[in-house]
Amino acid sequence: MGEEMPLSRIAAAVGTPVYVYSQAALVERAAAYVQAAQQTAARCLVCFAVKANGNPALLRLLGEQGLGADLTSGGELFLAQFAGIPPHRLLFSGVGKTSAEIQQALQAGIRALHVESWAEMERIAGIAQTLQMAAPVAVRLNPDVAADTHPAIHTGGRQHKFGVNAQAARQMLLAAADHPWLSPVGLAAHIGSQIRELAPFRQATAALLRLAADLEAVGCRLQYLDVGGGLGLDSISQAAPRPAEWVAAVGEPVAQAGYELVLEPGRSLVGDAGILLTRVEYVKEEGGKWFVVVDAGMNDFLRPALYGGEHPIWPVALRSGRQRESRADHTWRVEVVGPVCESGDTLARDYELPPVAAGDLLAVMQAGAYGYAMSSNYNGRLRPPEVLISGAAYQIIRQRQTMTHLLG
Ligand code: LLP
């Protein structure tokens, strides 16, 4: 990760499991995104999807690189404000914004609310009128594109709960243009996550552009087109395009049509800037399988259990060669499992590792996005700490919970 801090030192000082992020990797990825967007479009805004990682220290770093934030709750709005990200760089997406959240967003003066239904738009209009503040709105288009990813994180299909169809989006934006308390500023799409091909993104962008042109023809000129996030990371079985390729693929047509380009990357920005560091507790053989039992469970890192997410696992600082003796005759393919009382609590299946033993450290890779963010107290387990490494120094940016957190 371009840092010089031995992970074993962090494990010794902070304990395991622990999320560890590299400041250099984060800053480099953020700067690369901003640069790619600026090279593609004269006007652009890269909004980090806070749901991927809401740690305030990381949000502050990203904000300092010029990024905005894509928000999905009042809590994320609070975090972005706390991290000093200016309101004109904040967007609020999501199908279920409450009245309190809409009011919070309008009073904060964010760039736009991304509206996902007629009912939501009516509610926003009512709140805007009560507050006597015009509400900037963009509509989220559901572009109905297929994408090769896990069904739970595909969001751009016609029958998904997200956004509205092209006809409704058109009518909503025209209605907003005529409304005294609404101001139509953009059109957005987000088709899913961990997508490793460009074709569906190109299709979604084309759908945005068709609709924007259609609206322009009747005198409704929008400020920006937001192509969402969703670019994947390389998986064990399939490589993903680099962020610059993705930005060019979706951004060039938007820039050519003269719109401001907005992007909402989450995973591709922070995913591989972080790891989950875990320690082997036990090694056991049962039913013809070897199990490496580690101290990180599905409550700490849910992706493998929930989506079958494949995350490479790298041994860190193996302790001497002593552990090799007993298993020299085995192909060392293992199940890496956590302590939670479910068989689904498996970090990796049939995974090839060098012989490891109790006490060894393992790094679960690509854990910077949707890692800590999806952790829980399931099984009475404490949520893990987060550490940020910068060169030869590290900083605890979230403490491990203590038993009192379990009391409510
Ligand atoms: N914009 C919107 C409106 C979103 O809903 C999301 C993610 C993003 C941007 C960022 O997408 P990304 O670039 O990170 O793919 N928990 C799942 C991922 C859920 C993504 C939800 N929406 C996982 O661990 O794979």
Side-chain angles (χ1 to χ4, degrees), residues 49 51 70 153 190 193 229-230 264-267 303 307 370 374:
K51 59 176 77 68
D70 164 58
I153 54 176
H190 171 75
S193 197
E264 301 173 358
R267 188 192 319 269
R303 297 203 73 262
Y307 316 111
Y370 308 109
M374 294 174 75

Side-chain angles (χ1 to χ4, degrees), residues 307-369:
Y307 316 111
E310 291 178 0
H311 290 257
I313 298 181
W314 292 5
V316 181
L318 290 191
R319 297 147 105 230
S320 71
R322 108 187 117 59
Q323 64 266 36
R324 292 171 190 275
E325 341 142 349
S326 59
R327 295 176 220 116
D329 54 335
H330 283 275
T331 324
W332 191 235
R333 292 193 80 88
V334 298
E335 308 281 297
V336 182
V337 300
V340 168
C341 300
E342 293 191 23
S343 298
D345 183 25
T346 298
L347 284 172
R349 293 183 190 280
D350 194 22
Y351 193 82
E352 196 167 314
L353 275 184
V356 292
D360 285 337
L361 288 172
L362 300 178
V364 181
M365 308 304 288
Q366 301 182 336

Side-chain angles (χ1 to χ4, degrees), residues 33 47-52 70-72 93-94 114 116 140 149-150 152-153 155 162 189-190 192-195 226 228-232 246 263-269 301-303 306-307 311 369-371 374:
Y33 252 114
C47 289
F48 172 61
V50 174
K51 59 176 77 68
D70 164 58
L71 314 167
T72 203
S93 316
H114 285 190
E116 307 216 16
R140 177 164 174 181
T149 186
H150 190 280
I153 54 176
T155 54
F162 298 99
H190 171 75
S193 197
Q194 183 57 0
I195 297 169
D226 177 343
L231 177 65
W246 178 67
L263 304 165
E264 301 173 358
R267 188 192 319 269
S268 56
L269 233 171
F301 190 53
L302 188 58
R303 297 203 73 262
L306 192 59
Y307 316 111
H311 290 257
Y370 308 109
M374 294 174 75

Side-chain angles (χ1 to χ4, degrees), residues 95 98 139 156 172 197 241 273 297 326 368 374 378 388 395 401-402:
V95 291
T98 64
V139 169
M172 284 166 70
E197 48 187 2
S326 59
M374 294 174 75
Y378 186 42
L388 181 64
Q395 194 191 339
Q401 285 185 332
T402 59

